[in-house]
Amino acid sequence: MGDPFDTEEIHKSIKEALIKNDRNLAVAKINEYFDRQKNIPLDIAITGESGAGKSTFVNAFRGIDNRDERAAPTGATETTMEITPYPHPKYPNVKFWDLPGIGTTKFPADQYIKYVGFERFDFFIIVSCDRFRENDVRLAKEIQRMEKKFYFVRSKIDNNVRDEERTQRDFNLERTLKKIRDNSIQSLQYHGFKSPQVFLVSSFDLTLYDFPLLEQTLERELPEHKRDAFLSAMPNISQEVIAKKKKSFKKRINFLASLSGVVASLLIPGLSMGVEVGMLVGEVKHYANQFGLDVDSLLSLASCTNIPFQELKDVTSSPLSATEITTELVMKEFSQCPRLLSLKVAEEGIRFIPGFGIPTAMTLSFITTQKALNIFLDALSDDAYKVFRRALGHKLK
């Protein structure tokens, strides 16, 4: 699959809609184009023995509290009795499949692989809360035989760390983590895995231990066209994740700016502004959702961190954060920048001058949209960093 933004098809369909003076259709075509990316499926299998903490891991990855009605059920007994997909709450194309514990009475190991239908999944995360056992090894070898990617995760590391801290007189966190990791790696090497990588994770705090490294590894090893889908589903567990999301959005800006140029080439008064506003509003909503700055995301973060919603809202600076994104709000922010307004006025005035009017208007429209989106993106990404630092600071107290 090539670069999804390198195409003339969308320009052509939008231009056709605008020639018919159908602004709504033009905006719909733009949204349809971006929906192609949002609908790229990503199926992540979470598997392992009963009681390993798979469901809690699924919930954490989706940014959902175990008490949420959308959460995968958790408990001391085997709670996953069927192959159950849990869509990401914002990006339903990304599904986390909570698989029944391998080796349980209902799903013996020799039937497990056929039962779950391994071919449907993009990659597998094999979870264990203490050590990787025979069933985990057998499962990994079958996945390997099918030439699928798999990753070993040691869950409940926070419990291991607390146990060590209580019993060791000279407790050292790094030494403890190294011992757990080395023991897991040696066990897997004994079973024939040459260079196994084991990620130590606490599902109750993804910023700790190896989860950021797991995120980097998964992103790096996914096919290129799946990476944006994965990045969309990632909670903001680090400043690096926020930076990656911002970089991904930057790729969209020139594309949208070029669309503004196409619209500006048509001699229809007010058309360029009308379509441009639709694009700006849609894109700003996308930024706010992805950065976790929409009201629902901040309420969820407030619940998880026990930081009041208002306190999280107070650290933000942009009026586009922690609120409903409306056309009126975006246009108000647009109008706060005199340079953007002057460019837009110049574009509308110069378009009808014979000869150089249309090319100049196209250039001005490109520049206006590009600058506006960069201003909005910078403001919202700055707020995302502030919210992350506030949430992280709370955890470090």
Side-chain angles (χ1 to χ4, degrees), residues 12 28 50 64 119 121-122 128 142 145 159-160 184 196 222 235 256 265 268 277 295 304 309 314 350 361 368 370 394:
K12 181 180 177 181
S50 172
I64 289 180
E119 67 282 347
F121 304 116
D122 290 292
S128 175
E142 183 62 22
R145 188 186 67 78
N159 292 344
N160 299 132
S184 297
L222 274 170
L256 286 169
S265 70
I268 304 174
V277 169
V295 172
C304 292
F309 169 82
D314 287 346
I350 207 168
T368 304
Q370 185 187 57
H394 177 82

Side-chain angles (χ1 to χ4, degrees), residues 142-186:
E142 183 62 22
I143 299 170
Q144 193 173 51
R145 188 186 67 78
M146 296 174 66
E147 298 184 345
K148 293 271 190 174
K149 293 284 187 180
F150 62 93
Y151 307 89
F152 292 108
V153 165
R154 274 289 306 273
S155 64
K156 305 183 182 180
I157 292 300
D158 42 353
N159 292 344
N160 299 132
V161 168
R162 278 196 299 269
D163 290 344
E164 286 286 312
E165 195 169 11
R166 281 196 298 263
T167 59
Q168 298 297 321
R169 183 180 304 172
D170 58 344
F171 171 78
N172 178 277
L173 177 60
E174 290 304 318
R175 186 171 64 237
T176 296
L177 296 177
K178 184 177 185 304
K179 182 175 73 172
I180 295 170
R181 189 181 293 109
D182 288 349
N183 287 343
S184 297
I185 289 173
Q186 288 167 13

